[in-house]
Amino acid sequence: MLATSMFCSPAGAQEYPNRGIRIVTPIAPGGLADRVTRLMAKHLSERVGQAVIVDNKPGAGGIIALDSVAKSPPDGYTLVFTFIGPSVVNPILVKKLPYDNANDLVPVAQIASINPFVLVVSPTVPANNLAEFVAHAKENPGKLFYGSAGNASLSHLTMELFNRAAGLNLQHVPYKGEAPMAGEVLSGRLQASFMSVEFAAPLIKTGRLKAIGVANKRRSSQLPEVPTMAEAGLPEFSAAGFFGFLAPAGTSASQVKRLNEEFRAIVSMASVREDFYRFGIEPINESPEAFGQVLRTETEKWTKLIKETGIKGD
């Protein structure tokens, strides 16, 4: 017996879902997003009594995965796990996507708010908080450098958001990934960066990096002693991410509602919430409409920044 109320198809048809569900994810196995996808798939399978398969389709910044789902039958049996890069940044930077991001996919559920970054500075920088770092940067205009995981990466966009919010001119140096960039900050060749909380937390706790603030409206469960950027002195600053699910446009409202109810029930489970906090992400339990509004708000924010700065992808 299924754990929640059922939504019936036309007379004579079996109730939904009556076969396996596929969740496409735009990243390779092993990372945080993959772990979260598989956790949700496991619990969804248990709740609906059907197999839920995770299909990893990495590449092209998520375009391959989202395109495959946008072109899938809108029958409620194919979903895509998504986050800010594939669903917000790509449509801004990529002129010709093979699908219409706004019209070919519909929001099903946001399951988490991600506190993706913490602003860190090298131990060589004479600053221990936001006010001291901003003062130091203004005393040395154009002489401080920050690293990112690549042009138009979220770490790059977040630092440019900070540059504008604080009135600074930190110079950008892109790298191919977070690890090589982090080494440059540790050595002092770079003065600052927004690093992922998961990557930076051990370096901060051992004193190898100095933490200035987390880029979210809430503190990180992995770094509870580090203030938010708003608490540190930039009241409107936030660069939170999200994890969520989309379905092909045309998926019936009853199926979207059913899936949303299942995901909300899963996120409400004590064990899942504990896993999320351990991962450093905040559980979210909202409607498809609320997730749609998040997508629109984030798109407006990053579109404005990218147009004003002229940032382009590689």
Side-chain angles (χ1 to χ4, degrees):
M1 181 176 291
L2 301 187
T4 58
S5 61
M6 307 297 294
F7 290 89
C8 296
S9 297
Q14 290 179 296
E15 295 174 325
Y16 169 83
N18 55 57
R19 56 184 172 87
I21 295 171
R22 182 172 63 110
I23 299 177
V24 178
T25 184
I27 38 76
L32 174 61
D34 182 64
R35 297 202 302 273
V36 173
T37 308
R38 292 179 186 278
L39 177 67
M40 299 299 289
K42 170 182 175 291
H43 287 293
L44 181 61
S45 177
E46 291 171 353
R47 290 185 61 83
V48 302
Q50 300 290 341
V52 179
I53 299 169
V54 175
D55 183 3
N56 296 84
K57 288 185 178 293
I63 293 173
I64 294 171
L66 270 68
D67 182 44
S68 73
V69 173
K71 291 179 170 63
S72 295
D75 55 12
Y77 291 96
T78 303
L79 304 174
V80 64
F81 179 86
T82 193
F83 42 93
I84 198 165
S87 285
V88 173
V89 177
N90 276 349
I92 302 170
L93 290 173
V94 181
K95 291 183 179 180
K96 291 185 178 180
L97 287 172
Y99 56 93
D100 185 330
N101 189 71
N103 295 312
D104 290 347
L105 295 160
V106 295
V108 172
Q110 180 185 359
I111 60 166
S113 172
I114 312 169
N115 196 342
F117 297 121
V118 55
L119 177 60
V120 296
V121 299
S122 169
T124 62
V125 174
N128 295 301
N129 56 49
L130 181 63
E132 292 175 357
F133 180 63
V134 170
H136 177 65
K138 288 185 175 179
E139 289 168 2
N140 296 274
K143 297 180 181 179
L144 270 61
F145 294 83
Y146 76 87
S148 79
N151 282 318
S153 65
L154 193 54
S155 57
H156 178 198
L157 297 177
T158 301
M159 185 59 89
E160 286 303 321
L161 194 68
F162 171 63
N163 255 344
R164 299 178 76 79
L168 302 181
N169 186 29
L170 305 178
Q171 303 297 301
H172 178 221
V173 183
Y175 289 80
K176 292 183 178 180
E178 190 168 45
M181 176 268 293
E184 298 293 273
V185 181
L186 289 166
S187 71
R189 285 187 287 272
L190 295 176
Q191 285 69 51
S193 175
F194 272 104
M195 287 187 194
S196 67
V197 170
E198 190 175 35
F199 188 96
L203 300 172
I204 293 167
K205 291 175 180 177
T206 55
R208 299 180 67 192
L209 289 173
K210 292 189 281 188
I212 299 300
V214 294
N216 197 354
K217 294 179 179 178
R218 292 186 293 270
R219 293 194 182 200
S220 167
S221 57
Q222 291 177 298
L223 294 169
E225 71 284 357
V226 178
T228 66
M229 295 293 284
E231 291 172 330
L234 290 176
E236 300 303 318
F237 189 91
S238 176
F242 57 80
F243 282 159
F245 293 93
L246 307 173
T251 301
S252 74
S254 65
Q255 290 173 334
V256 169
K257 183 174 185 289
R258 172 70 190 280
L259 289 165
N260 178 266
E261 289 176 346
E262 296 294 354
F263 284 128
R264 292 173 74 172
I266 294 166
V267 171
S268 296
M269 295 169 58
S271 64
V272 172
R273 296 177 79 84
E274 289 173 7
D275 284 333
F276 276 24
Y277 290 132
R278 181 165 51 85
F279 294 156
I281 61 179
E282 304 289 331
I284 294 290
N285 199 323
E286 296 284 1
S287 67
E289 293 76 19
F291 185 28
Q293 183 57 52
V294 168
L295 293 171
R296 289 187 292 274
T297 299
E298 290 299 306
T299 298
E300 290 171 4
K301 177 172 73 177
W302 295 113
T303 297
K304 182 174 185 292
L305 176 76
I306 289 169
K307 285 184 176 180
E308 289 176 351
T309 58
I311 290 173
K312 298 184 183 300
D314 289 326

